[in-house]
Amino acid sequence: MYANVYSIIWALTGLISLQSPSLCASFALPSSFRKFVHRSKGSTPLHSLPGLTILEDASKATGDSQLNVLNEIKLNKNLNTKALSDQLVDLDNAYPGGLKAYIEKSRSLLKKAVEGGNPFEGYTAQVPEGVDLSYGDDLDKYEEEGMRVAKDTVFVLVAGGLGERLGFSGIKVSLEPYAAYEGCYLSLYADFLKAVGSRTGKVPELVIMTSGDTDSATRDLLSSNSDFGLPRVTIIEQKKVPAISDVGGALALKDGAVETKPHGHGDVHHLLSKSGHLQRWEKEGVKKVAFIQDTNALVVNALLASLGVNEKESHAMTSICIPRFPGEAAGAVTLLKGGGDKPD
């Protein structure tokens, strides 16, 4: 819906296409299931719980994938079915297409993983065309153009992770990017946006995608530092998704609830659409959206030039990359050349 309105810049993270969410509606419970009336804590009949109805429908649509899960729920007399139903409704609302779509996708991916198929079979990887942003006249030209369009750009920070792998127990945006800077990653990004504002007359909006692990701490960090002087900070929270217990796509239950796990960064596009921010930006005249990782201090050196490339070259999307040595254990942006009837 918004593909023709927004140019998207994705800095060093994965990308999933923007699309409006299609949420599951209510479903009729089969008569065989209505006959089973089990009362647990709160004395609520199962057939009156919308979350269980959603799960039953998702199971029927995916080859009875949740049959064992439903039986476990029915037989557990100590289960708080009302709380479980509420959780299932939340999980259904949080994923585009609901639990049914999530289970179908999980089953498909797990099946392919078991079979060991190569989704890129028949394709040849080649170096894609791009713009070299080495120091020189071209860099200056693109930076000037990027500064001009920055006032019509929103910057989105993907910040759903903790710093455990770095030996840090807090949120990663609170880490110091380097010893000579007296601040954290979040203040570094704020300083960049304020510098842009001092030259364009408008400080761009910062949107932060948090997760259940980082939302509270991120809000506290912003509050205790007066939003680091930014006039407009928006927070959207990424919800977790159900954990899967087998290759058939059965949901994992533990202690009377569905186990959940963090999802990928691509959720940010769904959240921006679902939350109404894309519609708001369209009305406000926003033309571009720049996405950055939570701990990428160097990206501020390339953002303006990349915005300039996006504008001058009329890109729908621009990715920022660095040269990769052959065989280097790092991700790469490539052009996949198709053979025969396979498109590039």
Side-chain angles (χ1 to χ4, degrees):
M1 179 178 180
Y2 300 97
N4 296 324
V5 179
Y6 300 102
S7 297
I8 304 171
I9 294 179
W10 186 264
L12 304 180
T13 64
L15 175 69
I16 294 179
S17 300
L18 275 169
Q19 56 180 318
S20 297
S22 177
L23 301 180
C24 286
S26 59
F27 304 96
L29 206 59
S31 57
S32 60
F33 194 67
R34 290 195 195 101
K35 293 177 182 177
F36 184 91
V37 179
H38 167 70
R39 294 183 179 273
S40 59
K41 292 181 180 179
S43 298
T44 305
L46 288 184
H47 68 264
S48 68
L49 297 171
L52 274 298
T53 305
I54 290 170
L55 186 61
E56 173 79 2
D57 180 84
S59 181
K60 288 175 66 65
T62 55
D64 288 330
S65 63
Q66 309 304 311
L67 191 60
N68 290 337
V69 178
L70 287 164
N71 286 335
E72 182 179 344
I73 293 170
K74 294 175 185 178
L75 295 173
N76 189 342
K77 295 182 178 181
N78 296 317
L79 184 66
N80 187 336
T81 50
K82 175 64 168 61
L84 177 60
S85 173
D86 291 344
Q87 183 194 22
L88 288 167
V89 171
D90 289 341
L91 292 171
D92 184 68
N93 289 333
Y95 190 81
L99 280 177
K100 174 178 171 289
Y102 179 75
I103 294 167
E104 287 176 339
K105 185 70 172 179
S106 299
R107 284 164 58 87
S108 175
L109 293 174
L110 289 166
K111 183 175 183 290
K112 291 176 181 178
V114 171
E115 294 174 347
N118 179 9
F120 303 118
E121 186 174 357
Y123 287 93
T124 302
Q126 297 185 6
V127 177
E129 295 182 4
V131 176
D132 183 1
L133 292 178
S134 300
Y135 283 108
D137 293 339
D138 283 347
L139 177 62
D140 292 340
K141 175 185 67 176
Y142 285 123
E143 280 192 329
E144 290 174 3
E145 184 67 14
M147 184 68 78
R148 186 183 68 82
V149 300
K151 67 180 185 300
D152 297 322
T153 301
V154 170
F155 292 80
V156 179
L157 176 64
V158 181
L162 297 171
E164 293 168 333
R165 287 183 296 176
L166 305 174
F168 180 67
S169 60
I171 55 175
K172 288 193 286 185
V173 291
S174 67
L175 282 165
E176 294 180 359
Y178 43 87
Y181 180 75
E182 294 184 358
C184 61
Y185 277 99
L186 193 49
S187 66
L188 176 70
Y189 299 137
D191 288 345
F192 166 76
L193 295 179
K194 288 185 291 185
V196 168
S198 69
R199 290 162 174 79
T200 64
K202 178 183 177 183
V203 179
E205 178 183 356
L206 175 65
V207 176
I208 305 174
M209 185 182 80
T210 63
S211 68
D213 294 328
T214 66
D215 187 74
S216 177
T218 302
R219 292 176 186 274
D220 289 344
L221 180 62
L222 287 165
S223 176
S224 61
N225 290 278
S226 301
D227 289 347
F228 295 101
L230 294 174
R232 195 168 193 179
V233 178
T234 302
I235 295 178
I236 54 176
E237 183 181 354
Q238 176 191 30
K239 302 299 183 181
K240 292 183 178 181
V241 294
I244 301 296
S245 64
D246 59 35
V247 294
L251 304 188
L253 292 181
K254 183 179 180 181
D255 298 329
V258 177
E259 288 194 82
T260 57
K261 63 181 183 65
H263 209 216
H265 285 164
D267 278 0
V268 67
H269 303 290
H270 161 61
L271 287 174
L272 289 173
S273 177
K274 181 180 178 181
S275 62
H277 292 305
L278 295 185
Q279 297 88 331
R280 171 172 65 83
W281 294 342
E282 183 181 22
K283 293 178 181 178
E284 294 176 357
V286 173
K287 302 300 181 185
K288 301 183 186 297
V289 184
F291 296 85
I292 55 179
Q293 279 273 27
D294 47 11
T295 51
N296 185 5
L298 296 178
V299 75
V300 296
N301 299 325
L303 274 174
L304 288 178
S306 299
L307 280 170
V309 170
N310 183 268
E311 178 70 10
K312 278 189 170 293
E313 306 301 326
S314 300
H315 288 175
M317 185 189 79
T318 302
S319 296
I320 303 175
C321 310
I322 59 174
R324 176 181 177 272
F325 297 105
E328 184 180 3
V333 174
T334 64
L335 170 64
L336 294 177
K337 295 289 292 184
D341 60 349
K342 293 182 179 293
D344 293 346

